Amino acid sequence: MGMIKIISRQFILFLLLTAFGFTQNPVWNSSSSNVPGAQTGGTGGSFISNMYSVKMVDSNTGFAVGYGGVVLKTTDGGLNWTQLSMELMPLGSFYSIDMLDANTGFAVGNNRSGISDPNKRVIKKTTDGGSTWTYQLDSMSGGTWLTAVDMLDASTGFAVGTGGTILKTTDGGTNWISQTSGTSKSLKS
């Protein structure tokens, strides 16, 4: 009799978990991009076809970065996205963005002048919600590029990339100092 009670308790627990536990998973809804010129499939004439990183500042404001140096911004929780006017990088990309707040943030990636030119590490900063972006770093790097950025506060942050690259700033992005990583492998966050 004791064995039947244990089995029936386990069976009831299984039924409860099956009925209620699995329905608690979050649901992801897809929506159209609502970006003029964006493509929803394939590649071609639009730089907006490959986005690599998204950073939401709050429930409404967010930024996304991607191929060609494109930066998109939403102010309605992602229902609509606007391409910010900035210098595109046709032979480069932004791979990561980190925003300290709705105004101040950093985007990192790579760029090159021509198809046969080596990659350059790129860090750009905005202090006006993405309306303008200024170069914080635009340097030759022996073919390496930056893949991620994380700002700890308004002064201190790190950027990592291919070839074991680690850069650190302690002055809000004005200067980026190379750190020893001990590896030549790509670093990502």
Side-chain angles (χ1 to χ4, degrees):
M1 217 25 140
M3 184 67 135
I4 294 175
K5 282 185 179 179
I6 292 173
I7 291 174
S8 39
R9 283 184 190 159
Q10 289 176 343
F11 183 70
I12 290 171
L13 181 61
F14 172 76
L15 287 177
L16 289 173
L17 287 174
T18 303
F20 299 108
F22 297 123
T23 62
Q24 300 301 316
N25 291 333
V27 176
W28 289 84
N29 294 317
S30 64
S31 66
S32 61
S33 67
N34 293 328
V35 178
Q39 297 178 340
T40 55
T43 59
S46 173
F47 282 122
I48 303 172
S49 60
N50 293 310
M51 303 306 291
Y52 300 119
S53 179
V54 175
K55 176 67 176 191
M56 294 301 291
V57 177
D58 56 41
S59 61
N60 290 313
T61 307
F63 296 82
V65 295
Y67 179 77
V70 167
V71 179
L72 304 178
K73 181 178 182 178
T74 183
T75 56
D76 60 9
L79 294 175
N80 295 285
W81 293 84
T82 302
Q83 182 175 341
L84 301 177
S85 59
M86 69 181 292
E87 169 195 350
L88 295 178
M89 304 181 310
L91 298 174
S93 293
F94 282 130
Y95 295 108
S96 179
I97 187 166
D98 192 23
M99 299 296 295
L100 294 168
D101 54 44
N103 291 314
T104 306
F106 295 83
V108 301
N110 74 308
N111 195 15
R112 51 189 174 165
S113 303
I115 291 177
S116 61
D117 294 336
N119 285 312
K120 295 192 296 184
R121 298 176 184 154
V122 173
I123 301 175
K124 283 191 173 185
K125 180 180 181 179
T126 184
T127 57
D128 58 10
S131 295
T132 59
W133 293 80
T134 57
Y135 278 103
Q136 300 296 296
L137 178 71
D138 183 22
S139 68
M140 299 303 285
S141 57
T144 64
W145 60 87
L146 300 172
T147 58
V149 61
D150 187 24
M151 295 300 294
L152 304 178
D153 55 43
S155 298
T156 306
F158 294 87
V160 298
T162 61
T165 301
I166 300 176
L167 302 176
K168 179 181 181 180
T169 184
T170 56
D171 58 11
T174 302
N175 296 291
W176 292 84
I177 309 302
S178 183
Q179 307 292 300
T180 302
S181 70
T183 185
S184 60
K185 297 189 183 276
S186 293
L187 302 174
K188 301 175 184 177
S189 69

